[in-house]
């Protein structure tokens, strides 16, 4: 099995002791590779180390390692095996894998073996994060205008859904305060509460004190445990009896976040033997870990299960695109600006199906949050992964993430010894397939508006662009204001003072932490800017309706713990609640005097918000221009009081010292942001997650589960069932059996996707799966989804080819139906397959080009196998799906070039006989004989001897099971 096996590797002489830590051993692959190794991209070096460490002469050969070392000439030309250090699963894709392991234990026991030996060969973490459904929804904290002050004394009782009503007050430290916050500065400051805030997801916005979890959360969690009790009990049994598997229970966090914040090792230390951390996972966000210097990407359920079984992952040696970051980031550019700009460059560079690796002087300017966000957006630009080698920024992050000093020292020493540490001062960079250059200096901040989110405006052009909007005809951007009226000024009395409104005046400013602005750095930037502004003596005009709507209590927590929340409050940006507010038009009316002045002077007043919606009038009927901006820019425009400002040449206002204060004077530096982010956000997040992992949760801890070596299958269960993959398991594999007189189950065309094949989504009431569940006494309300029932092969088999868009040529229209030829009946695909199996008749599938296109799905192979499909005969295959068919025991056969069912005159109504010779070899030509007497040749699409071995064993599951025997 593909595990750490130093004794079996021909590269054992390369094992060395780590300098300064003689008890730690590792393969010094940098010495093995010599000058060639030094030119390899860092990501390819990880592949090389894995091949050296796992070389056994069968699954991983010496030629594989040498092919990787010769990456420069072999890229895109050869397939190589990769043995990841670990696997990450989420529960939907994880349950069929764990059910297979439970079934394998039983099969090994029945065949005379020791079931205790059946364990995942690769460390596996399974996060239960896909079970939650929203059965109940209600805003936990009602929107209320400016509830940030009020009495400091907490109420005797605090209902989670009905916070105490407070008298609205506009207190901002102005002399005209009429609120009920009490006299003096002490009545307004939030400082005294900062130390009392716990790390809890829900905080009272009135007092910033912890409150009970909202009723909706508790109810949804209760429903989750009730609906999924069988699955959760099975997971808990798995965590007790299997070695090499850990289960992260519900309510802990999402798979990609837990992977990033808790499971990542960076360097594995297995009994004092060191090697790089690497991972494959069934979650599409697995690529995030590349931001930490951990090679990883998302794959399908079959691939992850194969890795768990100890099999290597086969991949074409990839091209690696080097993305060189140069220059210095603009002081006003936020993390969001940087991430979106780099994403745009990579999308234009055609990096689909390739590795991307970052290098250059600009890399060190990116925080770990920036890097993981860029790595997470791989699907946006099509790359397999985007890799950031470990550097000093990574080590600093790991320190805040909880790595102790000794572990950090070993990590740094090892990575430097094998040349996997990016040295910023190094003059020599790796060689890449191609290089894409991105100048960070060219990345400038933008806002969107004034009426549509897609109309982007560079901040340094904002003043001139708004002037152009005044001139343009009324439309998507224009307001058509006559030239002689563009400089109109309307005086207005408000709270005893006179103010002047003009075109471009800001009357609404809302800092909202949602969607693209949930990145901690941009919210902290707003807070730090507010702090510097207050310290400089700048204020926001009292008539501007300001608000702060954090996406969660966690945002409030880190704004408070970093000490910036009181300063935001001082400028009027007080916490108004946790929910969609300004974005959806839930804004309290503007003061009457301001509304009248705007209407009287036909003023184009502006709203600025860090949200997602800015169409005309969406915030208020008298606010016609609305701009989407980053949180710090919202604060900046609020202070300026107008969008008609050139931040480069015009001041925001006059400070307490009488001097002009420019935006550049108070804008936080990236270094300041990184420091506060690491110390106030990262360390807090990791501490909370660690506590959750150690404590578990009450429901999970109280959940009862068996502790027997074999799982006690409940024959009445509709969620967990022992699959039939091992029904014919014997100690020795039998030669491939001939397929005789097979009927065609389905006659399909081109581009049949895994979505057409695999069960997914809700269970249709008229489907075969629904009929099965109904026969078990369930009502449609209790059907749940195919994803939730992936541990029941009876449901999943019935859902295979149940897609209503399936176009079977036997039927002539989209429908999940086929013809059972012995009887002539038109039936559901499952019902026809079931009849064929009862009659002892094998079935095959005829298909066109690109069979198995789309996302990798385990049941796209498992389902057809359980339907009795022995072979698929297609014009071409999607590469991953072809290997999955072999992995489950289905033969992938391919028509010869230029041939297809039409050219061969096949109707699909014939019966087919295929003979597999004992000496089956890669891409061997086989003859197929039909019941009409026609004989034609096809290609057995096995690419190597390992695939033939798997097929002869009936797939990877049976192959590994025999190894345990």
């Amino acid at each position: 099995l593909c595990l750490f096996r130093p004794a079996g590797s021909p590269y054992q002489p390369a094992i060395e002791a780590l300098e300064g830590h003689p008890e730690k051993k590792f393969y010094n692959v940098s010495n093995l590779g010599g000058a060639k190794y030094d030119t390899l991209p860092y990501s390819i070096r990880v592949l090389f180390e894995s091949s050296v460490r796992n070389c056994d002469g069968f699954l991983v050969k010496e030629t594989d390692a040498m092919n990787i070392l010769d990456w420069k000439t072999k890229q895109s030309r050869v397939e190589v095996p990769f043995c990841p250090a670990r696997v990450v699963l989420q529960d939907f894709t994880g349950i069929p894998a764990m059910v297979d392991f439970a079934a394998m234990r039983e099969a090994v026991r029945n065949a005379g073996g020791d079931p205790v030996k059946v364990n995942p060969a690769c460390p596996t973490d399974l996060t239960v994060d896909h079970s939650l459904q929203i059965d109940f929804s209600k805003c936990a904290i009602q929107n209320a205008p400016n509830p940030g002050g009020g009495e400091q004394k907490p109420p005797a009782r605090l209902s989670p859904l009905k916070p105490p009503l407070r008298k609205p007050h506009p207190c901002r430290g102005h002399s005209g305060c009429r609120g009920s916050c009490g006299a003096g500065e002490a009545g307004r400051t939030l400082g005294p509460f900062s130390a009392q805030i716990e790390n809890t997801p829900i905080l009272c916005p009135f007092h910033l004190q912890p409150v009970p979890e909202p009723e909706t959360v508790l109810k949804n969690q209760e429903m989750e445990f009730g609906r999924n009790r069988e699955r959760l009990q099975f997971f808990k049994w798995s965590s007790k009896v299997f070695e090499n598997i850990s289960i992260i229970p519900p309510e802990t966090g999402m798979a990609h976040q837990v992977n990033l914040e808790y499971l990542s090792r960076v360097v594995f230390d297995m009994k004092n033997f060191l090697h790089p951390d690497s991972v494959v996972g069934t979650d599409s966000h697995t690529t995030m870990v590349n931001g930490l210097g951990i090679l990883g990407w998302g794959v399908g359920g079959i691939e992850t299960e194969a890795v768990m079984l100890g099999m290597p992952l086969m991949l074409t040696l990839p091209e690696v695109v080097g993305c060189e970051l140069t220059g210095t980031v603009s002081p006003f550019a936020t993390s969001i600006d940087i991430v979106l700009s780099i994403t745009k460059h990579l999308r234009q560079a055609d990096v689909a199906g390739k590795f991307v690796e970052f290098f250059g002087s600009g890399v060190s300017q990116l925080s770990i949050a920036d890097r993981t966000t860029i790595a997470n957006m791989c699907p946006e630009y099509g790359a397999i992964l985007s890799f950031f080698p470990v550097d000093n920024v990574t080590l600093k992050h790991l320190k805040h993430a909880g790595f102790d000093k000794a572990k950090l020292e070993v990590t740094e020493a090892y990575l430097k010894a094998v040349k996997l540490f990016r040295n910023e001062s190094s003059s020599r960079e790796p060689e890449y397939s191609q290089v894409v250059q991105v100048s960070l200096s060219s990345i400038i901040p933008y806002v969107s508006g004034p009426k549509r989110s897609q109309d982007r405006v560079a901040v340094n052009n904002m003043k001139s662009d708004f002037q152009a909007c005044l001139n343009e005809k009324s439309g998507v951007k224009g307001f058509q204001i006559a030239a002689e009226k563009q400089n109109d000024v309307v005086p207005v009395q408000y709270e005893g003072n006179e103010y002047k409104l003009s075109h471009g005046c800001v009357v609404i400013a809302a800092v909202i932490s949602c969607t693209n602005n949930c990145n901690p750095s941009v919210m902290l930037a707003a807070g730090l800017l507010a702090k510097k502004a207050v310290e400089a003596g700048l204020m926001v005009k009292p008539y501007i309706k300001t608000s702060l709507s954090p996406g969660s209590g966690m945002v409030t927590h880190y704004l408070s713990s970093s000490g910036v929340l009181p300063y935001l409050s001082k400028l009027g940006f007080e916490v108004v609640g946790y929910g969609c507010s300004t974005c959806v038009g839930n804004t309290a009316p503007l003061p009457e005097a301001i509304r009248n002045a705007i209407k009287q002077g036909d003023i184009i007043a502006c709203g600025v918000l860090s949200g997602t919606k800015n169409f005309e009038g969406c915030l208020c009927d008298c606010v016609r221009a609305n701009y989407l901006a980053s949180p710090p820019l919202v604060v900046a425009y609020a202070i300026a009081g107008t969008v008609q400002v050139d931040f480069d040449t015009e001041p925001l206002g006059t400070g307490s010292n009488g001097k002009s204060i420019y935006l550049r004077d108070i804008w936080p530096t990236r270094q300041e942001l990184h420091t506060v982010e690491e110390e106030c956000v990262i360390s807090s997040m990791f501490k909370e997650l660690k506590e959750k992992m150690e404590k578990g949760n009450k429901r999970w801890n109280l959940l009862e589960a068996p502790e027997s070596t074999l799982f006690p299958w409940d024959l009445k269960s509709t969620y967990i069932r022992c699959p039939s993959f091992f029904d014919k398991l014997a100690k020795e594999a039998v030669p491939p059996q001939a397929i005789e007189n097979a009927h065609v189950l389905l006659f399909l065309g081109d581009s049949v996707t895994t979505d057409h094949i695999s069960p997914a989504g809700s269970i249709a009431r008229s489907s075969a799966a629904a009929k099965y569940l109904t026969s078990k006494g369930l009502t449609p309300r209790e059907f749940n989804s195919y994803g939730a029932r992936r541990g029941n092969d009876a449901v999943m088999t019935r859902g295979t080819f149940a897609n209503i868009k399936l176009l079977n040529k036997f039927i002539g229209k989209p429908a999940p139906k086929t013809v059972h030829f012995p009887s002539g009946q038109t039936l559901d695909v499952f019902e026809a397959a079931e009849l064929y199996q009862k009659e002892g008749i094998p079935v095959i599938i005829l298909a066109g080009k690109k069979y198995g296109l789309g996302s990798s799905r385990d049941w796209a192979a498992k389902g057809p196998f359980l339907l009795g499909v022995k072979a698929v005969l297609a014009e071409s295959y999607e590469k991953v799906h072809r290997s999955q068919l072999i992995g489950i025991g289905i033969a992938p056969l391919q028509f010869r070039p230029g041939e297809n069912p039409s050219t061969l005159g096949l109707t699909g109504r014939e019966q087919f006989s295929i003979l597999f010779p004992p000496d089956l070899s890669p891409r061997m030509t086989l003859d197929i004989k039909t019941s009409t007497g026609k004989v034609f040749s096809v290609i057995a699409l096995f690419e190597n001897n390992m695939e033939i071995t798997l097929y002869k064993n009936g797939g990877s599951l049976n192959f590994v099971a025999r190894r345990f025997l």
Side-chain angles (χ1 to χ4, degrees):
L1 299 182
C2 192
L3 290 164
F4 156 56
R5 299 156 298 187
S9 172
Y11 295 108
Q12 190 172 357
I15 296 176
E16 294 182 6
L18 185 64
E19 186 176 349
H21 305 273
E23 75 283 4
K24 307 291 185 184
K25 302 293 191 296
F26 68 102
Y27 281 98
N28 195 338
V29 287
S30 62
N31 287 345
L32 277 176
K36 281 186 178 180
Y37 182 86
D38 293 341
T39 65
L40 291 177
Y42 289 94
S43 51
I44 300 300
R45 296 178 196 184
V46 177
L47 296 182
F48 180 61
E49 190 281 339
S50 173
S51 67
V52 167
R53 176 167 38 89
N54 292 290
C55 185
D56 64 352
F58 176 59
L59 296 176
V60 183
K61 302 176 182 178
E62 288 186 69
T63 53
D64 295 321
M66 291 302 103
N67 281 337
I68 297 173
L69 188 61
D70 290 332
W71 167 83
K72 188 175 180 180
T73 59
K74 297 294 180 65
Q75 57 183 293
S76 300
R77 294 176 52 197
V78 298
E79 280 205 340
V80 294
F82 173 52
C83 298
R86 57 190 175 93
V87 168
V88 172
L89 303 170
Q90 39 91 340
D91 48 319
F92 270 17
T93 51
I95 194 161
M98 297 314 302
V99 166
D100 289 347
F101 271 93
M104 188 183 295
R105 278 199 163 194
E106 191 144 316
V108 167
R109 191 276 310 268
N110 293 340
D114 182 1
V116 176
K117 293 181 180 179
V118 178
N119 295 289
C122 182
T124 302
D125 301 290
L126 190 154
T127 303
V128 185
D129 70 335
H130 278 49
S131 301
L132 184 64
Q133 294 182 27
I134 303 176
D135 295 284
F136 302 93
S137 62
K138 186 173 182 181
C139 184
I141 299 176
Q142 304 296 329
N143 291 320
N146 294 332
E151 298 175 8
Q152 292 185 358
K153 181 180 178 182
R157 274 184 196 173
L158 184 60
S159 167
L161 288 176
K162 297 180 180 178
L165 295 177
R166 298 288 175 189
K167 182 179 178 181
H169 59 89
C171 173
R172 307 187 179 168
H174 297 290
S175 58
C177 173
R178 299 175 301 180
S180 58
C181 62
E185 187 64 28
R188 290 190 292 271
T189 180
L190 299 175
F193 296 104
S194 297
Q196 300 176 37
I197 295 177
E198 297 178 7
N199 197 6
T200 174
I202 299 295
L203 304 177
C204 170
F206 297 93
H207 305 96
L208 296 179
Q209 297 291 327
V211 301
E213 290 185 275
E215 186 180 350
T216 52
V217 173
L218 298 176
K219 282 187 174 181
N220 281 318
Q221 290 174 353
E222 187 177 344
M223 287 292 291
E224 177 183 7
F225 269 79
R227 178 187 291 117
N228 297 287
R229 178 168 296 276
E230 285 184 50
R231 297 168 64 241
L232 295 178
Q233 286 176 325
F234 175 77
F235 283 138
K236 193 158 189 181
W237 170 81
S238 299
S239 69
K240 290 180 177 181
V241 303
F242 285 114
E243 297 176 6
N244 247 357
I245 179 82
S246 65
I247 307 291
I248 292 87
E251 304 172 30
T252 304
M254 290 179 283
H256 57 283
Q257 285 297 125
V258 174
N259 185 22
L260 191 69
E261 298 167 10
Y262 186 81
L263 302 176
S264 295
R265 282 84 152 174
V266 183
V267 171
F268 253 81
D269 188 340
M270 301 284 284
K271 298 180 180 179
N272 281 331
F273 203 95
L274 307 175
H275 63 85
D277 189 2
S278 57
V279 61
V280 292
T282 54
D283 190 275
S284 60
H285 300 283
T286 304
T287 53
M288 287 183 79
V289 296
N290 290 279
L292 281 177
I294 299 170
L295 196 72
W297 65 96
V299 296
I302 289 280
E303 292 96 323
T304 49
E305 192 167 341
V307 173
M308 290 171 68
L309 291 167
M311 310 291 293
L313 190 70
M314 300 301 295
L315 73 155
T316 301
L317 193 59
E319 295 180 40
V320 182
V321 177
C323 185
E324 183 178 14
L325 303 182
T326 60
T328 304
V329 179
S330 164
F332 301 145
T334 66
S335 293
I336 300 301
D337 297 318
I338 295 168
V339 168
L340 294 180
S341 181
I342 291 175
T343 298
K344 179 182 177 182
H345 277 84
L346 291 173
R347 189 186 297 120
Q348 295 170 343
D350 186 24
V351 297
K354 304 173 185 176
F355 283 11
V356 173
E357 187 169 296
F358 290 86
F359 71 102
S361 58
V363 173
S364 58
Q365 297 179 53
L366 302 185
S367 68
I368 293 300
D370 298 335
R371 298 179 187 191
T372 54
T373 305
I374 293 168
N376 185 45
M377 295 185 77
C378 282
E380 290 291 322
Y381 44 87
I384 298 174
L385 56 87
S386 286
F387 191 72
F388 288 86
V390 175
D391 59 9
N392 289 322
V393 175
T394 317
L395 294 180
K396 186 177 179 181
H397 168 83
L398 295 176
K399 179 180 178 182
H400 290 292
F403 276 44
D404 58 42
K405 184 179 179 182
K407 187 174 182 180
L408 275 175
E409 287 178 354
V410 170
T411 297
E412 182 176 4
Y414 168 73
L415 293 174
K416 287 181 175 179
V418 293
K419 298 180 180 178
L420 285 173
F421 188 87
R422 192 182 74 88
N423 191 336
E424 298 171 20
S425 60
S426 175
S427 59
R428 184 175 183 181
E429 298 287 359
E431 296 180 6
Y432 296 103
S433 309
Q434 70 181 89
V435 171
V436 175
Q437 290 186 325
V438 178
S439 172
L440 298 179
S441 306
S442 67
I443 300 174
I444 58 175
Y446 284 85
V447 297
S448 295
K451 300 180 182 182
R452 303 188 307 175
S453 59
Q454 63 264 44
D455 296 325
R456 300 178 74 209
V457 183
V459 171
N460 54 10
N461 293 331
M462 180 67 156
K463 185 175 182 178
S464 58
D465 187 83
F466 184 79
Q467 190 64 44
C469 291
L470 294 179
N471 289 320
E472 282 187 32
K473 291 182 179 181
S474 294
V476 294
K477 286 198 71 172
F479 296 103
Q480 200 169 350
I481 302 298
E484 64 272 15
K485 291 184 174 293
Q486 291 181 11
N487 295 318
D488 285 359
V489 175
V490 179
V492 60
Q493 290 289 325
Y494 183 72
E495 294 187 349
N497 294 311
E498 183 178 280
Y499 299 95
K500 295 179 179 180
L501 302 183
S502 59
H503 295 298
C505 63
V506 174
V507 294
I508 296 175
V511 173
I512 305 167
S513 170
C514 75
T515 58
N516 61 327
N517 284 309
C518 62
N519 188 311
S521 66
V522 292
M523 293 299 287
L524 287 171
L528 290 173
L529 187 143
K531 179 177 183 291
K532 291 186 175 185
V534 171
E535 290 172 345
L538 297 176
M539 295 301 295
V540 173
K541 294 179 177 65
Y543 62 80
I544 299 176
K545 184 163 288 298
T546 50
S547 61
L548 170 61
S549 180
S552 70
M554 173 56 78
V555 180
T556 306
H557 169 71
Y558 65 66
L559 289 177
S560 179
S561 62
S562 61
V564 300
L565 197 56
Y567 296 97
L568 284 163
S569 179
K570 187 81 172 179
L571 294 181
F573 292 96
E574 296 172 328
V575 177
V576 298
Y578 300 85
C580 294
S581 52
T582 309
C583 259
V584 294
N586 289 347
T587 306
L590 294 175
E592 188 174 353
I594 303 301
R595 289 172 60 88
N596 291 339
I598 293 172
K599 291 182 177 180
Q600 174 193 334
D602 194 23
I603 296 297
I604 306 299
C606 298
V608 186
L609 66 154
S610 58
T612 58
K613 295 181 177 66
N614 66 329
F615 52 87
E616 188 171 2
C618 72
L619 306 186
C620 180
D621 59 358
C622 63
V623 180
R624 293 156 64 185
N626 300 300
Y627 287 92
L628 305 179
S630 65
L633 283 175
V634 171
V635 177
Y637 280 114
I639 295 171
T642 179
V643 298
Q644 291 214 68
V645 58
D646 184 337
F647 287 136
D648 291 334
T649 60
E650 298 176 67
L652 291 173
T654 303
S656 54
N657 60 3
K659 294 183 179 180
S660 295
I661 306 296
Y662 291 83
L663 183 57
R664 58 179 173 269
D665 298 327
I666 63 172
W667 192 273
T669 65
R670 288 187 64 77
Q671 186 56 50
E672 288 177 305
L673 282 173
H674 289 179
T675 300
V676 174
E677 187 178 343
E678 290 287 347
E679 294 178 356
C680 297
V681 182
I682 301 299
S683 58
S684 177
M685 290 167 59
F686 279 82
K687 180 181 177 182
E688 181 194 29
L689 183 58
K690 185 177 180 182
E691 290 175 353
K692 279 187 176 182
M693 294 293 292
E694 291 174 351
K695 294 178 181 177
N697 64 66
K698 187 176 180 180
R699 288 186 181 86
W700 176 261
N701 294 340
L702 294 176
L703 187 68
E704 295 182 356
E707 299 186 15
S708 53
T709 300
L710 300 178
F711 184 71
W713 306 99
D714 181 358
L715 299 180
K716 296 180 181 179
S717 173
T718 57
Y719 278 100
I720 307 293
R721 207 176 93 119
C722 186
S724 56
F725 298 125
F726 305 100
D727 284 357
K728 297 180 181 179
L729 179 67
K731 287 188 177 181
E732 298 296 332
V734 297
Q737 299 296 300
I739 301 173
E740 296 181 352
N741 299 317
H743 271 295
V744 176
L745 179 65
L746 291 162
F747 190 0
L748 307 172
D750 296 340
S751 302
V752 173
T753 70
T754 51
D755 286 333
H756 290 113
I757 308 169
S758 181
S762 59
I763 298 173
R765 295 190 178 193
S766 60
S767 65
K771 295 173 187 175
Y772 167 79
L773 293 173
T774 301
S775 72
K776 297 295 182 179
L778 274 65
T779 65
R781 187 184 182 89
E782 299 169 307
F783 285 173
N784 214 321
S785 65
Y786 281 114
R789 295 190 181 276
R790 274 178 138 166
N792 186 325
D793 63 309
V795 172
M796 298 302 285
T797 306
R798 285 165 171 80
T800 302
F801 292 114
N803 191 307
I804 59 173
K805 298 287 183 68
L806 182 74
L807 183 56
N808 180 5
K809 293 183 179 182
F810 293 148
I811 304 300
K813 62 181 181 180
K817 303 284 185 178
T818 195
V819 175
H820 176 251
F821 288 107
S823 67
Q825 298 179 81
T826 297
L827 303 169
D828 286 337
V829 174
F830 170 79
E831 292 171 345
E834 188 178 37
L835 274 180
Y836 280 126
Q837 289 188 348
K838 287 179 179 178
E839 296 161 349
I841 300 173
V843 293
I844 65 171
I845 290 173
L846 288 182
K849 300 181 181 71
K850 299 180 180 178
Y851 179 77
L853 202 63
S855 302
S856 173
R857 301 190 188 280
D858 54 342
W859 276 98
K862 288 180 175 179
F865 175 83
L866 293 179
L867 287 174
V869 174
K870 303 300 182 184
V872 176
L873 177 53
E875 290 183 66
S876 64
Y877 292 84
E878 198 281 330
K879 176 183 167 184
V880 172
H881 186 65
R882 179 201 63 83
S883 64
Q884 290 179 342
L885 291 174
I886 297 170
I888 202 64
I890 296 176
L893 307 178
Q894 182 172 291
F895 290 104
R896 292 189 302 183
E899 294 184 349
N900 57 47
S902 179
T903 62
L904 293 171
L906 301 176
T907 66
R909 298 174 181 274
E910 306 90 345
Q911 288 182 270
F912 295 76
S913 296
I914 309 162
L915 179 66
F916 293 93
D919 57 345
L920 187 63
S921 60
R923 301 187 72 87
M924 175 179 274
T925 298
L926 304 177
D927 288 335
I928 294 183
K929 190 176 189 179
T930 71
S931 55
T932 61
K934 184 183 292 293
V935 178
F936 61 97
S937 298
V938 297
I939 301 167
L941 217 54
F942 303 100
E943 298 294 349
N944 51 57
N945 288 326
M946 189 180 83
E947 290 187 346
I948 291 173
T949 299
L950 293 179
Y951 178 69
K952 287 181 175 180
N953 277 271
S956 55
L957 289 171
N958 284 275
F959 171 73
V960 172
R962 288 191 177 93
R963 297 287 288 266
F964 287 123
L965 294 175

